[in-house]
Amino acid sequence: MSQTIAEKILAAKSGESRVSPGQIVDAYPDLVMSHTATWRSVSVMKKIGARKLYDPKRLAIVLDHISPAKTEKYAADQQTSRNFAREYGIERFYDVDAGIAHLVLMEHGHVKPGDLIVGTDSHCTIYGALGALGSGIGYTEVASVWVTGKLWMKVPTTIKLTLNGRFAAGVSAKDLMLHLIGTLGADGCGYKSVEFYGSALPQMSISERMTMANLAMEMGSKCVFIPPDEKTREWLLPRLKDSSTYEPVYADKDALYERSLDIDLAALTPMVACPHQVENTKPVTEVLGTRIDQAFLGSCANGKYEDLVIAARILKGQKIDPRVRLIVTPGSKQIMLEAMRTGILATLMESGALVTNPGCGACAGDGGMLADGEVSLSTANRNFVGRMGSNKSSIYLSSPATLAASALKGVIADPREFY
Amino acid sequence: MEDKIQGRIYKFGDNVNSDIIIAGRYLIYIDPVQLAEHAFEMLGEGFPAKLRSFDILVAGRNFGCGSAREQASTAIKGLGIKAVVAASFARTFYRNAINDALPIVECPALYEAVAEGDQISIDLARGVVSHAGSEYGFPGIPESVGKILKLGGLANYLKSTLET
Amino acid sequence: MNMVEKILARKSGQQSVAPGDVVVTDIDLMVMHDLSANFVMKVFNNEMENASIADPSKLVFAFDHNFAPATREAAEALAAVRRFAAKHKVQHLFDGGCGSIHHCIMEAGLVAPGMIVIGCDSHTPIYGALGAFATGVGNNSMAALGFAHSKGWFKVPETIKIHFHGTPMQAVGARDVSQYLVGHLGEDGAIYQALEYAGPYIQSLDVNDRSLFPLQAIDVGGKCGFVNPDEKTIRYARELLGDGPAAARLEFFQNDADVRYAQVIDIDVSKIEPQVACPPTVGNVKPIDAAVGTPIDVAEAGGSTGGRLSDIRTLARCFANRKVHPGVRLQVVPASRGIYLAALREGLFETLHVAGANIFPPSAGSNQAFNMGALAEDEVMISTQARNFPGRNGHPKARHFLASALTVAASALTGKIADPRTLEVQ
C-alpha cells in the first residue's frame, strides 16, 4: 500500500514487491524508443562489439527530427538507422515521413498505461498522458538498454497537482503548463514524478493531456502521469493490438506525496514564455504588441489535430499579416490526413500559412531558421538561445490560440478577443 | 579515472541549458573534439575558445537542463574540462555525464563561494571540494552507478560486462 | 520576323531586327529566386554604390529553393533579400512556400504575352510558352542594366524550328518528348539560339504541357524557347491574367508567314518511348529501358515539370487504391499555392497520403537539397527535377534519374525504375 504510480511501475519493472523514493533499481523498460539519434546508438553497439539485442520487440525507431535529409550526412545517418531496423527486424520502425516519434508511437498503440518507456528524447514524459512512465536518456544508454534490456533508475518522490475549475475561453492546457513552469521553475520538479488530479481532469481531452505531460519536462520532471480514465480508454483501446493488455496503474489512496498543489484553472490567463528560458513566463497581456517575424504551429507539445483546429478556427477566412511567416507542421501523417479530410489544412493554407510535411520541424531547427534580430512565436516547448537559428534571434512560446491570433495581427496578441 | 581533480574554474549561473552547451545542428557529431569546437557557441564572442584555458566548470542550479542530448557532456569533455561542479544538475545531464565518464559534483555551497579563475581541488574518494582553505562536502554517487564512471563510462562498462 | 524578333524589335524601338543584331530593349519583368536574388543584391550593393532601382515594380523575388530555411546562413540570406526589397520598395516578394518560381509568378498573373522577361535562373525561358521573350541573364547584367535601368541588351538569336508531328504512344507525354529532344539535339545542340516548338503535336498540347519545352531550352544551350501564340495561348493568357496588373500589357506577337529558320528539325513523336535522363547529366537522355529495374530509395514529383496539377492528378490516378512501395519515399511537391489548394480540394493529396506519399510545401522541392532531397552515397532518386549533376543532391556518388511524373509514379509503385507503359492505370 501507499505507493505512488511511479513507485508501482518501477517496482513492477524491476521485480520488486515495493520500492521507496531514493532507492536505485534495475528496471526493464517495455519500450525503448529512439529517433533521428538512432545512428548514434548503432555506433555505440558497433564500438562495444555487441551483436545481439535483448528483445527486438521492445525497440521503436522513428526518424523525426530531420525529415527529410538536407545534407549527405543526415542522409547517411538515416540510412544507418534504416539498415539497423531492417537487419534486426524492428517492426516498430517509422521513416522520415511518419511524423513526431512520440505522437506516432501513441497513435499506433505502442504505448499503454503502466508501461516503462525510455528513449533518446527528454519529452518521453509525454507518455504519461496515457498513464505510462516515460523518461529521456542519452544515446549510449539507449544502446545499453538495447543490449541488456535494463537500466538503473532512482525511484522519485512525487508531486501531486490538483486541477479544479474550467479554463476561461481562449485559455488552454499550454497556458496552464506555462503558468506552472513559471511558478515552480525549470527545476521545480527536478528528479520528481508528477501526478495530476482534480475535477478538471475528466473534461480534458487526450490532446490536452499530451500537451501537459509534454511540457511537464520543462519543470525538470523525471516522469508525469495523468491517471487513465474513460477518455484514455476510449482513445487507446481501438489502437492497441491486444486490448487485454490495457491495465492502468493507479496510486494508492494513501500514497505519499512530497508536495501538493491546487490550481484553479478559471483563474488562468493566456501565457507566453519569453526569451530565452521556458520559465521566463508572463501573461500575454504584458507582451502584447511585440513584433514577430515568424509563427510556428507544431511540435509534440502542440502539433496535434486539436491544436490545428484551434488555430484554424481563428484563422478561417482571414489572411495572416504579410510580415509574418506562419509555418504549420502537422505532428504526424495521421494528423495531416485528418486535417486534409476536414478542411483544416485548406483553411490554414488559405490564410497564407506554409504547411510542411509532418515531423519535428522548426522546433528543433529543421527549417524555419531565424536570422539575426528575428523573433518567432512558437507552440513548441523550448525557447533556448539559438535553438531556431541565430543566437541573436528570439523565441516566445505560446498556445495555438495565441499563435493564431498573433499571426493575424503581426504582433503577439491576446487570443481571447477571438472567443 | 582520477580520484583527485584540480584546476582553474569558469563560473556559470543557473539553468545552463542543453542548447547553450551544444546546439542541435551539431548533433551530427559524436566525436568530442568536433563537438568541442562548437561548445557554448550560442553565448557568442570568445566561446568556446576562452573555456579552453579553464579546467573545471562551476555552475548554479539545474546545469544541463533541457534536451537529453548526450553530446552536451561529450562537448564539455572535448574542451578538456575535467569535471563539472554545480549547485544541482538536470537529471538527463547527470546520467549522460556518468555515462560519458565526466565527473560531476553536486555542491551548492561551492557555487556560492567561488569566482572565475579560482583554483579548486576535488577529492572524489573523500567527497570533498577544497577552495581557498575551506572544504565543502558533497554527496557521493551511489556505488552501483559510480562504477560506470570508474570504468570510464557506460560503453566501456558494457563492453567489459559483455566480455565476461 | 518571328515572335521573338518582333518582341525584340518593339521593345528596342525598331521597325525590324534580324539575327545577329545587337539590341538594347526595355525589360518588362525581372525574376529571381532566393539564391539569385541574394547574388544580384550583393552585386548591386557592393559594386554599384548609390545606384537606385529604376522601376521596382518590375522586380519579382520568389523564394523557392528554401521554403523554410534549414540553416542559419540561409535564414540570413533570405532576411537580407527581404530587407533589400523593403528598402527599394520591391513589392513582388513571394516568401518561402510560394511554389516553384515560375509557376508562382505565372499564377500571380505577372507575366503577359509580349513581355520581355529576364531572370537569374536558367529556366526563365519557360514563359516562351506564354508568348513572351524570356531568357536567363547573369547577376551582373541583372544588377547593372536590369535593376538600374530596366533595360537589357541582346544579340538577336537565330531560330531553330522543331516540327513535332505524330501521335505519342501510350504513357508517353510532353515531358518525355521534351527530354527526347534534349537527348536528340545534345547539350550543345542549340547554343545561343532560339528554339521554336511547332507542329501539330505542339498545337495539340495545352499551354501547361507546352511550357515543358521552353523550360528545357537551356539544356541544349538555347537562349530561349517559344511556341507561336495561337488561340490556346490567347485563351490561357486571358484566363491567367484576368483583371490583374499584367492584363493591360497583354500583346500577342505571332510569326510572320515568311519566317526563315537556321534549321528545321522534324520529330515524329510516335516513335518516342518514355525517356529518362541518367546520371551524371540532364543531357544523358535514353529510352527508359536503359534504367528499368534500378532499385530506388526516393521518388519525387515536383517543381515545374512534375508539381503541376496535371501531374498530381496523374499520380493520384496511379495510386488510387494502391500503396507506395515500402522501400520508397515518395515526395510530392506542388508547384504553387493554387495548385496545392486545388489538389487538396480534389482529394488528390488524400489519395496520395493514404497511399504512403508525403506532401511538401509549394517550392522547388529537392532542387539542390536546401530543405529536402539529400541522398546518401548509395541511394538512388528518380524525380521530375531539372538537373541531376553529381553532388547536387547530397553525396556525389548518389544517383539521380530524371523522368516524367508518370514514370516516377510507376517507379514508386514497384520500388524500381519502371516503364510507365507497364502501369495499368494512366
Side-chain angles (χ1 to χ4, degrees):
Chain A
M1 285 286 99
S2 57
Q3 295 265 280
T4 62
I5 301 177
E7 286 164 0
K8 285 190 177 183
I9 293 178
L10 287 176
K13 306 302 169 178
S14 59
E16 304 275 350
S17 54
R18 61 178 292 128
V19 297
S20 28
Q23 182 178 350
I24 295 187
V25 298
D26 268 348
Y28 286 78
D30 299 280
L31 185 68
V32 50
M33 64 77 72
S34 56
H35 51 44
T36 308
T38 301
W39 68 272
R40 302 173 211 148
S41 303
V42 173
S43 79
V44 171
M45 258 189 86
K46 253 211 184 93
K47 182 165 107 173
I48 65 178
R51 298 264 333 134
K52 202 168 176 306
L53 299 180
Y54 175 81
D55 182 2
K57 292 205 212 51
R58 295 188 187 214
L59 272 66
I61 299 171
V62 185
L63 303 183
D64 62 0
H65 275 58
I66 303 291
S67 52
K70 51 267 305 161
T71 67
E72 143 193 351
K73 175 72 164 61
Y74 284 126
D77 292 342
Q78 286 169 2
Q79 207 184 27
T80 300
S81 304
R82 244 174 242 126
N83 291 341
F84 173 80
R86 199 180 312 126
E87 186 184 336
Y88 284 90
I90 308 301
E91 282 174 31
R92 285 180 260 197
F93 171 77
Y94 298 90
D95 213 316
V96 295
D97 57 333
I100 303 173
H102 304 308
L103 301 183
V104 169
L105 295 180
M106 287 189 287
E107 280 168 356
H108 286 82
H110 301 312
V111 175
K112 52 190 199 302
D115 275 352
L116 172 61
I117 305 175
V118 295
T120 56
D121 192 271
S122 54
H123 293 105
C124 281
T125 54
I126 196 177
Y127 304 126
L130 299 180
L133 194 163
S135 210
I137 55 178
Y139 66 81
T140 297
E141 191 135 38
V142 158
S144 177
V145 176
W146 281 356
V147 170
T148 67
K150 63 183 162 91
L151 78 167
W152 68 262
M153 291 193 84
K154 189 162 162 189
V155 178
T157 55
T158 300
I159 294 180
K160 179 176 182 176
L161 297 177
T162 304
L163 310 176
N164 296 312
R166 306 195 74 133
F167 289 124
V171 181
S172 66
K174 182 64 164 283
D175 301 300
L176 160 66
M177 294 315 293
L178 289 176
H179 165 83
L180 275 173
I181 295 163
T183 307
L184 297 177
D187 60 352
C189 301
Y191 296 91
K192 303 187 199 306
S193 172
V194 175
E195 290 179 18
F196 279 97
Y197 294 98
S199 59
L201 226 42
Q203 272 93 282
M204 295 182 109
S205 67
I206 297 298
S207 178
E208 285 181 291
R209 299 176 195 194
M210 287 180 182
T211 300
M212 286 160 59
N214 184 291
L215 267 303
M217 175 59 220
E218 304 313 312
M219 308 190 281
S221 313
K222 182 186 221 108
C223 54
V224 55
F225 299 96
I226 289 117
D229 62 5
E230 245 336 284
K231 280 211 155 81
T232 322
R233 174 179 255 283
E234 230 175 75
W235 191 90
L236 190 50
L237 240 46
R239 297 167 202 266
L240 291 177
K241 237 194 195 137
D242 178 2
S243 55
S244 71
T245 56
Y246 183 87
E247 289 172 332
V249 174
Y250 298 105
D252 292 328
K253 288 264 179 292
D254 56 348
L256 294 165
Y257 296 97
E258 179 183 290
R259 191 178 169 186
S260 283
L261 268 168
D262 282 38
I263 296 113
D264 174 20
L265 298 189
L268 297 175
T269 62
M271 302 289 288
V272 296
C274 303
H276 305 277
Q277 300 270 4
V278 186
E279 65 173 18
N280 188 16
T281 59
K282 291 195 166 108
V284 74
T285 47
E286 284 181 31
V287 296
L288 290 178
T290 306
R291 181 194 57 92
I292 58 171
D293 299 290
Q294 180 168 287
F296 171 63
L297 176 64
S299 88
C300 47
N302 285 117
K304 299 163 270 91
Y305 179 70
E306 212 171 277
D307 301 312
L308 302 185
V309 170
I310 290 170
R313 195 190 132 270
I314 292 173
L315 293 168
K316 194 169 176 66
Q318 316 249 46
K319 292 268 185 258
I320 59 175
D321 188 286
R323 295 165 303 174
V324 177
R325 309 185 297 271
L326 171 59
I327 301 176
V328 177
T329 301
S332 74
K333 255 190 128 141
Q334 270 190 27
I335 290 166
M336 191 163 181
L337 184 62
E338 196 172 353
M340 282 184 193
R341 289 186 166 143
T342 57
I344 293 295
L345 216 70
T347 298
L348 293 168
M349 269 298 273
E350 278 160 0
S351 76
L354 171 88
V355 177
T356 74
N357 52 306
C360 295
C363 165
D366 187 20
M369 282 270 185
L370 301 171
D372 285 358
E374 287 196 312
V375 180
S376 181
L377 187 60
S378 160
T379 62
N381 44 40
R382 293 217 171 105
N383 60 350
F384 298 154
V385 158
R387 190 178 169 84
M388 286 174 88
S390 162
N391 62 342
K392 298 192 192 91
S393 65
S394 307
I395 305 166
Y396 290 78
L397 303 177
S398 79
S399 71
T402 304
L403 187 109
S406 307
L408 276 184
K409 305 238 164 160
V411 297
I412 297 185
D414 194 326
R416 289 174 292 183
E417 61 179 278
F418 294 90
Y419 283 82
Chain B
M1 204 196 68
E2 307 238 353
D3 257 358
K4 285 197 174 51
I5 300 170
Q6 55 204 29
R8 282 176 74 231
I9 71 113
Y10 183 87
K11 190 171 181 178
F12 283 110
D14 294 333
N15 295 323
V16 175
N17 65 59
S18 53
D19 292 41
I20 282 178
I21 300 174
I22 188 75
R25 67 202 71 157
Y26 303 117
L27 299 182
I28 49 172
Y29 304 123
I30 49 177
D31 175 65
V33 172
Q34 284 178 309
L35 288 164
E37 281 168 30
H38 301 286
F40 297 96
E41 203 176 79
M42 287 303 164
L43 293 177
E45 296 296 325
F47 288 93
K50 65 153 71 143
L51 291 176
R52 292 185 193 267
S53 59
F54 296 91
D55 308 290
I56 299 168
L57 300 182
V58 175
R61 288 168 51 172
N62 210 18
F63 184 81
C65 62
S67 158
R69 62 189 63 162
E70 189 171 325
Q71 286 97 322
S73 44
T74 316
I76 290 172
K77 276 194 87 174
L79 281 174
I81 298 295
K82 302 187 226 176
V84 181
V85 181
S88 66
F89 292 94
R91 57 160 292 276
T92 45
F93 185 86
Y94 182 89
R95 280 192 95 92
N96 284 329
I98 289 170
N99 293 339
D100 244 7
L102 170 68
I104 44 186
V105 169
E106 199 170 321
C107 190
L110 183 80
Y111 170 71
E112 299 300 326
V114 297
E116 183 180 312
D118 286 357
Q119 286 277 349
I120 69 169
S121 176
I122 307 168
D123 188 331
L124 290 171
R126 280 180 58 222
V128 164
V129 187
S130 310
H131 166 255
S134 300
E135 282 196 343
Y136 306 89
F138 59 84
I141 296 172
E143 217 240 296
S144 57
V145 174
K147 61 189 176 185
I148 296 172
L149 198 55
K150 286 206 169 70
L151 274 166
L154 186 57
N156 287 338
Y157 174 81
L158 250 188
K159 193 159 186 209
S160 69
T161 58
L162 285 174
E163 279 161 1
T164 52
Chain C
M1 290 188 289
N2 65 28
M3 182 200 93
V4 169
E5 288 153 358
K6 284 188 176 180
I7 294 175
L8 287 174
R10 166 70 66 89
K11 303 286 180 174
S12 62
Q14 296 178 75
Q15 285 289 1
S16 76
V17 301
D21 289 353
V22 175
V23 298
V24 177
T25 73
D26 289 330
I27 301 293
D28 296 293
L29 205 65
M30 290 164 261
V31 307
M32 283 140 281
H33 49 54
D34 36 359
L35 311 184
S36 47
N38 195 37
F39 296 142
V40 178
M41 174 190 79
K42 287 199 167 105
V43 172
F44 189 82
N45 287 339
N46 302 338
E47 299 177 39
M48 295 166 57
E49 277 181 65
N50 301 319
S52 58
I53 297 183
D55 187 349
S57 72
K58 295 186 173 180
L59 271 61
V60 186
F61 298 148
F63 295 171
D64 70 350
H65 284 69
N66 287 285
F67 45 83
T71 64
R72 182 179 173 174
E73 293 67 36
E76 293 294 347
L78 298 194
V81 175
R82 285 188 203 105
R83 279 193 299 272
F84 180 86
K87 177 174 171 190
H88 293 281
K89 309 224 186 322
V90 175
Q91 6 142 216
H92 301 302
L93 186 145
F94 297 93
D95 218 312
C98 61
S100 186
I101 175 177
H102 305 302
H103 279 271
C104 166
I105 291 173
M106 283 193 284
E107 190 171 276
L110 293 172
V111 179
M115 276 187 170
I116 292 188
V117 182
I118 56 173
C120 289
D121 174 69
S122 50
H123 297 103
T124 308
I126 189 179
Y127 305 113
L130 207 53
F133 166 64
T135 188
V137 303
N139 302 328
N140 291 327
S141 326
M142 181 66 86
L145 286 177
F147 278 26
H149 303 285
S150 291
K151 288 205 186 287
W153 73 261
F154 306 98
K155 188 160 152 187
V156 180
E158 288 186 332
T159 301
I160 297 181
K161 173 167 156 177
I162 303 109
H163 183 258
F164 296 91
H165 63 92
T167 309
M169 55 174 97
Q170 182 218 59
V172 170
R175 167 72 166 160
D176 299 287
V177 176
S178 174
Q179 282 192 290
Y180 173 84
L181 181 66
V182 170
H184 183 78
L185 288 179
E187 293 192 52
D188 57 355
I191 298 193
Y192 291 121
Q193 292 170 311
L195 290 98
E196 181 183 337
Y197 310 97
Y201 172 69
I202 295 294
Q203 284 169 342
S204 75
L205 298 176
D206 61 21
V207 175
N208 191 37
D209 273 344
R210 289 177 186 181
S211 68
L212 295 177
F213 291 87
L215 190 68
Q216 289 202 273
I218 186 63
D219 298 333
V220 294
K223 182 175 203 69
C224 67
F226 70 101
V227 174
N228 190 30
D230 59 8
E231 265 311 308
K232 274 187 180 162
T233 323
I234 292 167
R235 237 179 307 127
Y236 184 90
R238 290 228 158 93
E239 207 183 293
L240 185 68
L241 298 177
D243 294 324
R249 316 283 318 278
L250 202 145
E251 213 173 342
F252 292 100
F253 295 92
Q254 290 165 307
N255 294 349
D256 287 334
D258 59 345
V259 288
R260 290 209 300 261
Y261 297 95
Q263 209 190 342
V264 177
I265 295 169
D266 197 85
I267 307 266
D268 179 1
V269 306
S270 66
K271 297 196 164 55
I272 296 175
E273 298 179 278
Q275 304 286 299
V276 61
C278 302
T281 180
V282 65
N284 191 19
V285 179
K286 302 184 167 139
I288 192 71
D289 242 7
V292 159
T294 310
I296 57 168
D297 300 283
V298 183
E300 176 166 314
S304 294
T305 42
R308 305 164 304 156
L309 190 58
S310 52
D311 300 311
I312 301 175
R313 284 176 180 150
T314 298
L315 258 83
R317 269 198 300 276
C318 293
F319 283 100
N321 305 313
R322 280 179 170 147
K323 293 272 187 233
V324 173
H325 189 272
V328 177
R329 298 175 313 267
L330 173 57
Q331 302 171 170
V332 179
V333 191
S336 75
R337 293 184 69 90
I339 291 169
Y340 191 107
L341 280 164
L344 253 185
R345 255 180 254 117
E346 284 182 32
L348 308 176
F349 281 167
E350 191 182 323
T351 301
L352 291 169
H353 202 84
V354 166
N358 227 10
I359 316 295
F360 288 83
S363 62
S366 290
N367 191 8
Q368 298 189 73
F370 275 83
N371 267 116
M372 57 193 284
L375 303 169
E377 183 175 344
D378 55 359
E379 286 191 308
V380 179
M381 170 157 70
I382 183 165
S383 82
T384 59
Q385 284 289 338
R387 298 216 166 100
N388 60 351
F389 305 144
R392 207 177 155 87
N393 286 91
H395 199 283
K397 292 208 175 113
R399 286 179 297 151
H400 188 183
F401 295 82
L402 309 177
S404 72
L406 193 57
T407 303
V408 166
S411 308
L413 199 54
T414 61
K416 304 178 174 157
I417 295 184
D419 187 329
R421 289 171 294 187
T422 60
L423 252 189
E424 278 159 31
V425 174
Q426 253 45 188

